[in-house]
Amino acid sequence: AAMLALLVLTACYLRPRRRKISAFGTLCAIGAVAAAVSLVWTADGGVKCLALLLGLLLATLALRDALSLRRRIGALADAFGLAWFGITHWGAACYGLFHRQEPDGSVEKRRVGSILLGLLCAGPVLAVLVVLLALSDAAFDGALQRINAALVLELLLDAGLGTALFLTLFGQSFCLPGQHAAGQALPSPAHRGIETAALAAFLGVICGLYVCYLVSQLAYFFSGFAGLLPADYTAAEYARRGFFEMAAISAINLALTGAALQLARRQAGRLPGVLRGMLAFLSLFSLLLIATAASKLALYIASFGMTRLRVLTALFLLLLAVCFVCVLLRLFLPRFSYGKPLLAATALVILLLSFGNVDGVIARYNLNQWQRGQLTQIDVAALGELNEAAVPTLWTLAQDDAHPKQQRQARAYLTSWGLRLLEGPQADSPEDAPHRYRPRLRAYNRTTARAARLIEAHWAEIYLPGWCDVIASGTA
């Protein structure tokens, strides 16, 4: 709601200035709202941070588009530039909140300034009066003690962060229209570029090394596609080594390619053919390495199951592949703009992590593969370390009377989740203890609510005395 309100108010603010937003800007605005909605959908803290950053980035890009700001090096550079612009114009944003300019050019103070000043001055007086009232009346003192101090601190921190974000975004909307006319481009750094011979010599050494490496390791690489393991290698060693090879080499190649694209001296606006060939070879080599590593990762998952790290690794491979495909297109199609495809791919991956119920998918996959005999064992402790999305799978496992060890472990982890999510007696409560789920509107999360209601409905069947010992020992 806050993100939607921000975008609507910004649009209303810019409308009198006849600013128009393109299809790309509209998609950025929609993506920003979707990223904000995902905060209520997913229970993964790390994914929430990524979704928040994505939402702010997309909102900034929507503003950039509405102001018709363009720069040669792309939209992402503008987004970070606009963010810094907003931070450095906090003072102007505050001035704009407290003052307004009349049609005749005169400046008048806004009432909001007086109201905020009055509220600020009332703070110290309010604190003194609250302390005196608490000392004078036991009932009022008892009511104050019921206030959750951690919640109050959280609200204060949120208010501080929200104020900083508001001043940044309002500073952009308030100051940019006056500094850049519609259609005016942001300045681009000009450079002559590095000599072609120097870059070609450098990249030639790198490409020569990769050719020798491919020749010497050809059988090793392609064995991953056939599902065969080199001698004296376990599946875990083979897959892990393949991923770290890919991560290091591909990261270096991507950095080298990006630097060469930006720093190379161009001839009639195009890269020299020798540089295009070398960078194309680096990109194709990296794509081959990514495909091989993906096959090894698939072998690893088939042998040992799925984890959050393995899912994130697979998505990382996908993003790397998109990067190198964009590089190849840019090399042979100079007018191709790679910024938007990369932004779209990154946004889709983050939204997929947010709305895709990743931990729930991981838990269900491992349980299904174990029940089918594809996995020799199931790591209940690993399922218990997932977020609330794994609770339905743990409940399915807790009803499996054919495997009492795994059943007890699942009940132990469900008991742990219940004591965290439900309000009621703590660790040593009887099976029929009246635990209840009471969601707070401000902290509501769809995944958490579904898990809590499932545990509440089956608490008497779930509760396991001595659950701490079961979790600690990992045995029945």
Side-chain angles (χ1 to χ4, degrees):
M3 179 64 74
L4 183 60
L6 170 67
L7 294 172
V8 170
L9 290 175
T10 302
C12 294
Y13 180 78
L14 296 175
R15 185 176 180 181
R17 294 162 175 79
R18 297 181 180 179
R19 307 293 186 182
K20 294 182 179 180
I21 188 169
S22 68
F24 172 72
T26 303
L27 289 176
C28 286
I30 294 173
V33 175
V37 172
S38 72
L39 299 178
V40 182
W41 197 276
T42 179
D44 192 312
V47 174
K48 284 184 176 182
C49 292
L50 290 176
L52 176 61
L53 294 176
L54 175 66
L56 295 175
L57 174 62
L58 293 177
T60 303
L61 288 175
L63 173 63
R64 165 195 176 274
D65 189 82
L67 295 175
S68 301
L69 299 176
R70 297 291 185 270
R71 193 199 299 257
R72 179 181 62 79
I73 57 177
L76 293 181
D78 283 349
F80 291 114
L82 287 176
W84 179 248
F85 181 91
I87 292 173
T88 55
H89 284 75
W90 281 6
C94 292
Y95 182 85
L97 285 174
F98 298 148
H99 300 80
R100 65 181 176 185
Q101 187 174 12
E102 299 296 333
D104 59 0
S106 61
V107 177
E108 293 187 1
K109 290 186 177 180
R110 297 179 186 268
R111 289 183 179 179
V112 65
S114 301
I115 295 173
L116 291 176
L117 180 62
L119 293 175
L120 184 64
C121 293
V125 179
L126 180 65
V128 172
L129 292 176
V130 167
V131 172
L132 292 176
L133 287 173
L135 293 175
S136 65
D137 185 78
F140 186 72
D141 182 46
L144 289 179
Q145 291 180 3
R146 291 178 176 272
I147 296 177
N148 190 331
L151 178 60
V152 173
L153 179 61
E154 180 184 349
L155 290 173
L156 292 176
L157 291 175
D158 289 349
L161 178 60
T163 300
L165 290 175
F166 170 77
L167 290 176
T168 300
L169 296 171
F170 182 71
Q172 295 170 352
S173 301
F174 179 73
C175 299
L176 275 171
Q179 295 204 8
H180 297 279
Q184 182 179 354
L186 291 176
S188 299
H191 62 83
R192 295 183 59 192
I194 298 177
E195 287 284 354
T196 300
L199 269 179
F202 176 80
L203 293 175
V205 173
I206 304 300
C207 292
L209 173 63
Y210 288 159
V211 169
C212 296
Y213 185 73
L214 276 175
V215 171
S216 64
Q217 299 290 322
L218 201 58
Y220 166 75
F221 275 120
F222 284 98
S223 65
F225 289 106
L228 303 175
L229 298 180
D232 302 325
Y233 268 61
T234 66
E237 292 171 339
Y238 186 56
R240 278 197 296 264
R241 179 170 178 178
F243 169 69
F244 287 120
E245 287 171 346
M246 177 280 304
I249 297 174
S250 297
I252 294 173
N253 289 348
L254 190 59
L256 291 176
T257 303
L261 286 173
Q262 292 297 325
L263 302 177
R265 183 174 296 181
R266 285 165 169 77
Q267 300 173 354
R270 291 175 62 89
L271 282 177
V274 63
L275 291 183
R276 289 204 308 272
M278 290 180 177
L279 293 177
F281 172 78
L282 288 178
S283 299
L284 290 172
F285 174 78
S286 300
L287 287 172
L288 173 64
L289 200 61
I290 290 170
T292 306
S295 70
K296 295 181 180 182
L297 182 61
L299 174 63
Y300 198 23
I301 291 175
S303 302
F304 301 100
M306 193 180 289
T307 65
R308 183 185 293 137
L309 179 60
R310 293 162 201 168
V311 172
L312 295 178
T313 299
L315 294 174
F316 176 64
L317 293 174
L318 177 62
L319 280 179
L320 275 179
V322 171
C323 288
F324 284 109
V325 169
C326 289
V327 167
L328 285 171
L329 291 175
R330 182 59 179 267
L331 288 174
F332 299 101
L333 300 173
R335 294 183 179 275
F336 175 74
S337 176
Y338 55 83
K340 292 178 181 179
L342 291 180
L343 176 64
T346 303
L348 286 175
V349 166
I350 294 177
L351 292 176
L352 178 63
L353 288 172
S354 301
F355 291 101
N357 190 25
V358 174
D359 284 24
V361 171
I362 292 170
R364 287 197 303 271
Y365 173 86
N366 290 342
L367 179 61
N368 292 337
Q369 293 297 97
W370 179 61
Q371 291 175 337
R372 294 172 183 173
Q374 300 297 321
L375 296 177
T376 57
Q377 60 181 0
I378 185 169
D379 190 347
V380 183
L383 298 184
E385 292 172 359
L386 298 173
N387 63 35
E388 295 94 314
V391 165
T393 301
L394 286 171
W395 168 239
T396 301
L397 195 56
Q399 301 175 83
D400 187 358
D401 296 329
H403 300 89
K405 175 181 176 180
Q406 287 78 11
Q407 183 185 46
R408 282 179 58 83
Q409 288 179 312
R411 287 181 59 193
Y413 282 105
L414 287 172
T415 301
S416 175
W417 273 115
L419 295 174
R420 274 182 279 176
L421 298 177
L422 308 182
E423 295 183 12
Q426 294 303 309
D428 296 324
S429 59
E431 293 185 7
D432 58 350
H435 287 67
R436 294 290 182 268
Y437 173 59
R438 297 182 176 88
R440 292 183 299 162
L441 178 61
R442 183 176 170 277
Y444 177 80
N445 182 271
R446 173 181 176 274
T447 302
T448 302
R450 293 180 63 183
R453 291 193 178 101
L454 187 151
I455 295 175
E456 179 184 8
H458 303 282
W459 179 249
E461 304 166 68
I462 287 173
Y463 180 76
L464 181 69
W467 59 273
C468 288
D469 296 333
V470 175
I471 292 178
S473 63
T475 60

